[in-house]
Amino acid sequence: MTEESRTISRGAEDLSCPPAPTEQERPNPGLYSTHALDRAFKANLARMTAGITPAGVVSVYVEWLAHLALSPGKQVELGEKALRKSLRLGHYVSRVASDPAASPCIQPMAQDKRFADEAWQQWPYNVMYQSFLLTQQWWHNATTGVEGLSPPRERVVNFMTRQLLDHWSPSNAPWLNPEVTAATLQTGGMNLVDGWQNFLEDWERNISGKPPIGAERFSVGENLAVTPGKVVYRNRLIELIQYSPTTPQVHAEPVLIVPAWIMKYYVLDLAPGQSLVEYLVDQGHTVFMISWRNPDSEDRDLSLEDYRRLGPMAALDVVTEITGQPKVHGLGYCLGGTLLSIAAAGMARDGDERLASLTTLATQVDFTEAGELMLFVGESQVAYLENMMWDQGYLDGYQMAGAFQILRSNDLIWSRMVHDYLLGKRQPMNALMAWNADITRMPYRMHSDYLRSLFLNNDLASGRYQVDHRPIAIQDIRVPVLAVGTTKDHVAPWESVYKIHLLTDAEEVTFLLTNGGHNAGIVSELQHPHRRFQMRTQRQGEPYLDPETWQQIAPEHEGSWWPALQSWLGSRSSGKVSPPPMGSERFPPLEDAPGSYVRQS
């Protein structure tokens, strides 16, 4: 038999006796329905757990307990600490019995204001809060320094334990809080009646999707987002606003602002006197702003790449045509800054030289040290969120807000509960609070891309993130960079923002650190009291400074950082020209600012 006939013979045998199908080729008929059942179950469970995976929390506690059980030395240490803290508390009790003004045996952390009222220094409340702080300190010792527990898992168990302890703080119990008991005696209990009414009102507004009490006094286009301008471009994802000039001449290079889509754009055009847009326009800059559409279920398949393509890249085309200028200053805030950095790196790779400079506000491009927000980002957590988003097509803003509130539970949850529900008071609504309550959504695919590519895998900082199916690198960005961080940022810690120094070969990197938080530190109007900032430029070829050294040597300035931004942009512009027209023949004005997308609920 020839080789050819043997081959044909084998083929005939294969055809006549095909191999049994594998399980992969022929899945169990119930596979898809059972998988859908799992996703539906987890999606509904996620709504009850604020999007936090119970499996992830349980697994980290089991791992911590296992390592602690295998560490007899750590157990002995914790036993000794418990004994010493008991003795400290006993000694303090004996001292205050004879001297009510005796100094405490433990002080709260600087940011912990729960026990600041003088009433907490009176018996028996002083003993209560001292006992609580000592217990809190012991649990911190118990959840840190356990050999074999990885640092990320240690941070998670420490954080979750702190949240549980904060729940049981004596300040949260009306009969243990001297401020509440005093108010109850003074008002005959009306503070609790008023607090109950406040609770019912908040609960009703929450379940019906209404904004919080007081937000009705703030309205987009009336006392929020009122800087004059025109919508000159609209696509499926953005409206582009061009602001009207207020000076006879303007800097030649326009400014394109890319805000985060996690919230409405107008945090940067908050109110008269509190608007970064208004300030830059008054200083002679031509400003364009992206206003993101609020997506819904039909937008579930919009990707992060779609946001880049339909967002900053589409806006750049319009800005350069309207102004006739070949260069544009790019400015991005939070996620908008990350997206603008991705766009800038792609442009640098492809030889697109339309950016004159890159400014990022509270923006990360390396997510290895993204602060306590990373506690909510792991494979278990991301998969859990994906199930919730798969079910509804997007991540709801209220679901997302829960995670941010937990990061600052003392400020945003417990202190509010005491103030509004136990003391029966209301904190007056302001413009920033009204903006914060104007919730947005994020499409399923885009948010999954963002969590996996950037947070979970850190692809952007590692040179693996792809634009147009090819990797990009932040290192390719060569234009001048100004990166702004804030000292109390729980979302983008300034040390993480500072990592831009390690990732780009720009001709110069200027880092500016201002006091305040992620939002309040950026909204730094000129008349804002107690504002200060540090600023320093590192030029290409100069040795790297670590964040601590930078903070020690960078010059400090009093007041808002906005004039420093304006000066930085102005010094990197090519001169003054007449203001460009509002729109163009191809992109005529469509409607007055702030447009339609920002009004979508």
Side-chain angles (χ1 to χ4, degrees), residues 1-20:
M1 184 180 289
T2 65
E3 183 64 32
E4 182 180 0
S5 63
R6 282 196 296 268
T7 302
I8 295 173
S9 176
R10 285 197 299 270
E13 290 173 359
D14 291 342
L15 291 173
S16 60
C17 301

Side-chain angles (χ1 to χ4, degrees), residues 25-286:
E25 294 170 335
R26 187 177 180 181
N28 185 306
L31 176 65
Y32 300 112
S33 60
T34 54
H35 184 58
L37 177 62
D38 285 346
R39 300 199 77 163
F41 173 77
K42 293 175 182 177
N44 284 284
L45 182 63
R47 294 187 179 94
M48 295 185 289
T49 63
I52 299 173
T53 168
V57 174
V58 170
S59 67
V60 75
Y61 269 102
V62 169
E63 185 177 349
W64 164 71
L65 282 171
H67 285 293
L68 185 60
L70 296 175
S71 304
K74 180 68 172 180
Q75 296 173 35
V76 171
E77 176 189 333
L78 291 175
E80 292 175 345
K81 286 182 179 294
L83 178 61
R84 287 201 301 270
K85 292 182 190 304
S86 299
L87 292 174
R88 283 174 64 187
L89 182 62
H91 182 58
Y92 173 72
V93 171
S94 64
R95 284 191 294 115
V96 296
S98 58
D99 180 13
S103 58
C105 61
I106 182 172
Q107 294 288 349
M109 300 289 287
Q111 68 272 18
D112 188 352
K113 307 299 182 184
R114 290 173 293 182
F115 312 111
D117 193 273
E118 187 63 31
W120 284 103
Q121 306 309 317
Q122 308 301 316
W123 176 273
Y125 304 108
N126 50 4
V127 176
M128 292 179 191
Y129 95 86
Q130 288 287 285
S131 175
F132 173 78
L133 290 178
L134 287 169
T135 302
Q136 191 177 50
Q137 189 182 65
W138 185 89
W139 275 105
H140 173 77
N141 295 328
T143 54
T144 56
V146 179
E147 187 175 352
L149 190 65
S150 66
R153 307 290 274 181
E154 178 183 282
R155 287 192 291 270
V156 172
V157 73
N158 179 263
F159 176 82
M160 296 306 297
T161 301
R162 193 166 71 245
Q163 301 308 306
L164 291 171
L165 287 171
D166 286 343
H167 178 271
W168 296 107
S169 169
S171 61
N172 297 334
W175 55 89
L176 300 180
N177 188 322
E179 299 175 74
V180 176
T181 54
T184 304
L185 291 173
Q186 291 170 4
T187 65
M190 287 305 297
N191 60 304
L192 298 178
V193 174
D194 292 341
W196 177 247
Q197 293 296 325
N198 291 344
F199 171 78
L200 290 177
E201 189 172 41
D202 289 346
W203 180 75
E204 187 274 330
R205 284 174 171 265
N206 186 51
I207 63 172
S208 61
K210 297 177 183 177
I213 188 69
E216 61 274 2
R217 295 188 295 106
F218 296 89
S219 178
V220 171
E222 294 182 9
N223 53 3
L224 299 174
V226 296
T227 302
K230 299 287 185 181
V231 174
V232 294
Y233 174 74
R234 180 185 292 125
N235 62 28
R236 177 185 177 183
L237 198 56
I238 72 165
E239 289 181 334
L240 183 66
I241 300 170
Q242 179 183 359
Y243 291 96
S244 303
T246 60
T247 56
Q249 285 200 312
V250 295
H251 294 280
E253 288 74 18
V255 178
L256 171 62
I257 301 180
V258 183
W261 55 89
I262 195 172
M263 297 293 283
K264 300 290 181 71
Y265 83 86
Y266 63 88
V267 67
L268 300 176
D269 184 25
L270 195 58
Q274 292 180 282
S275 168
L276 177 61
V277 169
E278 176 190 53
Y279 174 76
L280 290 176
V281 169
D282 288 345
Q283 297 301 311
H285 292 276
T286 300

Side-chain angles (χ1 to χ4, degrees), residues 336-444:
T338 304
L339 185 65
L340 183 59
S341 299
I342 291 172
M347 293 169 68
R349 181 200 65 190
D350 298 337
D352 187 337
E353 299 181 344
R354 286 181 292 173
L355 281 182
S357 70
L358 174 64
T359 300
T360 61
L361 313 180
T363 293
Q364 298 173 102
V365 290
D366 184 314
F367 292 83
T368 52
E369 297 177 13
E372 290 184 330
L373 196 61
M374 286 298 292
L375 302 174
F376 300 98
V377 181
E379 182 57 43
S380 174
Q381 179 63 51
V382 171
Y384 194 66
L385 281 175
E386 285 176 337
N387 284 318
M388 182 169 63
M389 294 187 294
W390 162 83
D391 180 56
Q392 57 196 23
Y394 54 80
L395 182 66
D396 190 273
Y398 291 101
Q399 296 160 339
M400 183 171 49
F404 289 107
Q405 287 182 332
I406 290 173
L407 292 179
R408 297 177 56 202
S409 59
N410 275 341
D411 295 333
L412 301 180
I413 299 177
W414 304 121
S415 65
R416 184 188 170 206
M417 184 198 75
V418 172
H419 184 272
D420 288 18
Y421 305 150
L422 299 184
L423 295 176
K425 301 178 181 179
R426 281 292 195 190
Q427 183 177 356
M429 180 70 67
N430 58 39
L432 189 59
M433 293 167 64
W435 164 82
N436 195 55
D438 197 356
I439 300 296
T440 58
R441 297 176 291 273
M442 291 196 285
Y444 163 53

